[in-house]
Amino acid sequence: MIRHFMHTYLPFASNELKRNLAYKGAFYLFIVCDLMEVFISYYLWMAIYQSSGKGTLGGLSKNEMVVYVIMVFITSTIIMQSISRTVSRDVVKGNIAMTLIKPVDYRISLISGQVGNLIYHFIVPSLFVWIFLEVYKVTVLGEPLVSPGRAALYLISICLSFLIYVLFDFCFGMVAFFTTYIFGLSMAKEVLLSFLTGRLIPISFFPEAFRKVFEYLPFESMVYSPVMIYLGKYSVRETLFVIGRQAAWVIILYLLGSFIWKKVTNRLIVLGG
Amino acid sequence: MIEVKSISKEFISPKKYPGLKGAVKGLFSTEKVKKLAVDDISFSIADGEIVGYIGSNGAGKSTTIKMMTGILRPTRGECLIDGINPATDRMANAARIGVVFGQRTQLWWDLPLSESYTILKEIYNVSDEDYKKQLAFLNETLGLEEFFDKTVRTLSLGQRMRADLGAALIHNPKVLYLDEPTIGLDLVVKDKIREAIHEINQKYKTTVILTTHDIEDIEKLCSRIIVIDKGRKIYDGTLADLKETYGTTRKISIKTEDFPGIGKVRAALSSSLNNGNKEPVGDNELELNFNPDESRLEISFDKNHVEVSDVISSLIRIITVKDIKIQETELASIVKDIYNHNLGANGPEGGGR
Ligand SMILES: Nc1ncnc2c1ncn2[C@@H]1O[C@H](COP(=O)(O)OP(=O)(O)OP(=O)(O)O)[C@@H](O)[C@H]1O
Ligand SMILES: [Mg+2]
C-alpha cells in the first residue's frame, strides 16, 4: 500500500528535482533577488533598533532579530512552493486532462512535485545560508549554536508548514476553476501572506487584538511558528501545542481541499481540443 | 465491453459581450450561455473492436472521449467501461485505459523520453518484466529507439506522437482512446501509427476508439464507425454497410483512342443499354466526361440502376478500350455528404447494437 503510494508519487518529486537542476540558471537569479531582500530587511531592522534605543522590540533582541530575518528567508524559501500557479495553468491550458487520464490523485501528484522543489530549495540555497547563519551567530554575535533538539523540532515543524502552505495554496488555486484567471488574486495573496505569516514583520509586533485573530488562521503556522521554535521562544509545552496546531491545520486544509475538489470536478471544464 | 447510455454534456459559460464596454458589462451580468455539446448519445462497443468516431469540427467527439475517460462528468446519462463508471471511479478506470490526445502530450516536457516512460511505469505499477517486454514490442512497432534518449521538448511532431502512443500503451491497457492521433503527420508516420494501432489490436485484443478527420485512418483501421453531428449520433454501423447504403455510385474510367465525341457515345451507350431492357436508362442517370489531355472517358452511374458489366460490355463495342478502371465512391465523399446533411436525415440510425 505505502510502497505503491511511493512508487506512484515519487517520480513526480524526482521529476521536479531534475527539472530544477536543468533550469538552475534562472533559479540563481531568484536567489540573488531574495538575498537582496534579506539584506534590505536586515539593515532596516538594525536601523529601527538603533533609533529606538531599546534592547528588545516585540520580544526580540537585536541578535534574535538577525536570526529571525534569516530564518524567515530560509523557511519561506523551503516551504512556499506554489501550486496554485500550476493549478490555474493546468486549468486554463487544459493540461489537467493529462493528469486526469492517469490513475493518480491530482492534488497529491502536485504536492509530490513540490516535495521535489522543497528538497532542491532546502539544499540550494537554504542549507548554505543556514550554515552561514550559525557560523555568523557564533563568531560575530557571540551566541551559542542552535541545539540539535531545537533544530530537529524546527525541521519537523517546517514539514508541517510545507503541507499547510501547499494544501492552502491548492484550495486557493481551485479558484482558478471559477475564474480561469487568477493572476491578480495571486498578487493579493502574496501581499497578504507576507503580513499574515510573519514574513515582513514578526507577529509579536502586531497589536494584541490582531494577534488573537491570527491565532485562528493557518498563516502563522506557516512561517512564524517554526521560526519561533528555532529561536527557542517557546517552552516545551508551547512547542508541542504549536506543532499540534500545525497538524490540525494540515488535516483541516486537507479536508477542505477534498471538499472543494469534489465540488469543482462536478463542473470541471477542460478547455480546448 | 463499453456501454454508453444516453450521455449528454451541456457546457455553461458566462455570456460574453463584444468590446471594452461589453467586458465591463460581462463582469456584472449573470447571463449564461448553454451549449449542448453532446446530446443523448448511446452505443456499446465489444472487446477488441476498433471503432472510428467521426464528425465535423465541433461535433462533440472530444467531449465524448473526455466523458468516457473520466475527465469530464456527463450532465446526464452515464458510461460504463467494463462495469466501471469513470465519472465516479476515475482512478480505477484510468489504470485500465490508454489515452492519446493528438494536440497534447502526456509526456514530461523537460525530461528525456526514456525518463517519462520510467515514470509511467511506476505510476501504472508495471512489473520490470512486463515493462521490458512491452518496451521491446513498442520499439519494434513505433521505432522509438531513434529518439528514446532525447528530451521530449526537442522531438518532432511525428516523433512525439509515436512517443505518446507508446506512452499510452506501456501498461497494456484494455481500452485505447485516440483523439486525432494522426493530426499533422506525414504519410510515412501516419502509416506507422496505423500499423501500430492495428498490431496492438491484433496482439492484445485492445479495444480502440479513434476520432479522426483523416478518412484513410478509418479505411485502414475501423470495421465500425459512429458518425455524430451537432452532438447527436447519426450513423452507427459497419464501414461495409455504410458504403453499401450510401456509396452506390460507380465510376468507370477508360483510356481510349479515336474518341468519337460525348454525344455519339452517349447515344450509342443508351441504345445498347436499353436494348431489351424493361426499365430504360434515362440520360441523366449516366454522367459522361471526356478528358482530352489524357484521352480518358469517365462514366458515373448508380450501380443499383445500371449494371457495371452492361456498361463495360456496351462500351467495348462502341470505342477502342486501351485501359479500364472501376472506382467505388470514395468514403471521403460519403462522409462529406453526411456532414453536409445530404444523407444523414433519412439515413439509417443503425443504433440497434
Ligand atoms: N469548455 C467548453 N465550454 C464551452 N463550450 C465548449 C467547451 N468545450 C467544448 N465546447 C463546445 O462543444 C462543442 C463540441 O466540442 P468538441 O471539442 O467535442 O468537438 P470535436 O468534435 O472534438 O471537434 P474537433 O473535430 O474540432 O476536435 C463545440 O461546439 C465546442 O465549442
Ligand atoms: Mg476534438
Side-chain angles (χ1 to χ4, degrees), chain A residues 4 7-8 11-12 15 18-19 23 93-95 98 100-105 266 268 270-273, chain B residues 62 66 71-73 90-91 94-95 99 101 104-106 108 110-111 115 119-120 122-125 153:
Chain A
H4 183 205
H7 263 275
T8 310
F12 287 93
N15 168 35
K18 279 176 204 148
R19 227 168 53 91
Y23 287 123
K93 293 197 179 160
N95 292 337
M98 300 329 283
L100 294 179
I101 59 169
K102 298 177 180 122
V104 293
D105 184 285
N266 275 326
L268 181 57
V270 177
L271 307 166
Chain B
S62 298
K66 283 173 188 167
I71 299 169
L72 276 180
R73 201 165 290 200
R90 177 183 67 79
M91 295 247 260
V99 187
F101 285 110
R104 298 181 189 286
T105 179
Q106 64 158 312
W108 280 261
D110 308 303
L111 297 183
E115 297 225 18
I119 296 179
L120 290 169
E122 298 296 329
I123 289 176
Y124 288 98
N125 212 8
R153 190 162 13 96

Side-chain angles (χ1 to χ4, degrees), chain B residues 75-304:
Chain B
T75 312
R76 284 178 294 279
E78 63 169 9
C79 45
L80 292 178
I81 319 295
D82 289 326
I84 300 172
N85 184 347
T88 54
D89 213 353
R90 177 183 67 79
M91 295 247 260
N93 181 57
R96 313 170 71 259
I97 64 169
V99 187
V100 176
F101 285 110
Q103 288 111 316
R104 298 181 189 286
T105 179
Q106 64 158 312
L107 302 165
W108 280 261
W109 208 239
D110 308 303
L111 297 183
L113 180 60
S114 52
E115 297 225 18
S116 276
Y117 274 35
T118 321
I119 296 179
L120 290 169
K121 167 188 180 292
E122 298 296 329
I123 289 176
Y124 288 98
N125 212 8
V126 182
S127 75
D128 290 345
E129 195 188 334
D130 289 350
Y131 178 70
K132 218 183 256 172
K133 245 194 275 171
Q134 188 73 346
L135 199 58
F137 170 68
L138 293 173
N139 247 331
E140 200 179 298
T141 45
L142 291 165
L144 302 177
E145 243 149 26
E146 297 172 42
F147 47 85
F148 202 54
D149 296 316
K150 280 177 80 175
T151 310
V152 173
R153 190 162 13 96
T154 66
L155 297 183
S156 78
L157 181 63
Q159 292 171 335
R160 207 219 75 216
M161 207 71 99
R162 276 141 75 192
D164 250 300
L165 182 59
L169 291 165
I170 281 179
H171 54 297
N172 196 3
K174 282 259 175 287
V175 188
L176 182 60
Y177 297 92
L178 304 169
D179 193 356
E180 305 192 32
T182 54
I183 190 166
L185 303 184
D186 74 34
L187 294 173
V188 179
V189 178
K190 270 184 183 171
D191 259 341
K192 205 164 217 161
I193 297 255
R194 286 174 195 140
E195 264 166 44
I197 295 169
H198 182 73
E199 224 163 294
I200 283 143
N201 171 260
Q202 290 296 304
K203 188 167 174 188
Y204 299 112
K205 289 277 156 282
T206 311
T207 313
V208 181
I209 292 134
L210 169 88
T211 84
T212 183
H213 290 292
D214 187 328
I215 288 306
E216 236 184 303
D217 289 347
I218 305 280
E219 275 182 324
K220 294 215 164 126
L221 287 171
C222 307
S223 49
R224 176 179 165 201
I225 60 173
I226 296 173
V227 184
I228 64 163
D229 186 53
K230 299 210 176 82
R232 298 196 68 99
K233 188 169 86 172
I234 55 172
Y235 180 84
D236 181 352
T238 62
L239 190 57
D241 277 350
L242 184 77
K243 285 188 173 172
E244 194 54 43
T245 324
Y246 298 119
T248 52
T249 306
R250 289 291 176 277
K251 187 157 89 183
I252 296 178
S253 153
I254 291 166
K255 198 173 166 76
T256 177
E257 277 174 354
D258 51 275
F259 184 66
I262 294 260
K264 273 192 182 156
V265 174
R266 181 187 288 279
L269 190 57
S270 298
S271 79
S272 166
L273 287 172
N274 288 334
N275 191 9
N277 203 337
K278 279 165 245 111
E279 285 177 63
V281 177
D283 267 1
N284 53 352
E285 284 187 53
L286 292 170
E287 194 187 311
L288 279 81
N289 267 317
F290 183 70
N291 178 345
D293 294 341
E294 297 179 39
S295 66
R296 208 169 253 291
L297 172 69
E298 290 182 339
I299 306 171
S300 306
F301 53 90
D302 188 328
K303 79 172 169 70
N304 290 348

Side-chain angles (χ1 to χ4, degrees), chain B residues 10-73:
Chain B
E10 191 170 54
F11 288 109
I12 301 171
S13 37
K15 188 164 175 150
K16 297 260 190 332
Y17 301 91
L20 182 63
K21 223 170 125 192
V24 177
K25 194 175 168 194
L27 277 179
F28 301 101
S29 141
T30 49
E31 255 182 288
K32 300 275 195 266
V33 210
K34 288 184 178 176
K35 164 86 200 173
L36 193 58
V38 171
D39 184 5
D40 195 26
I41 286 185
S42 304
F43 53 82
S44 64
I45 296 172
D47 289 347
E49 272 192 278
I50 302 187
V51 176
Y53 196 63
I54 59 177
S56 46
N57 286 127
K61 302 179 298 293
S62 298
T63 307
T64 314
I65 300 276
K66 283 173 188 167
M67 286 192 282
M68 293 172 81
T69 49
I71 299 169
L72 276 180
R73 201 165 290 200

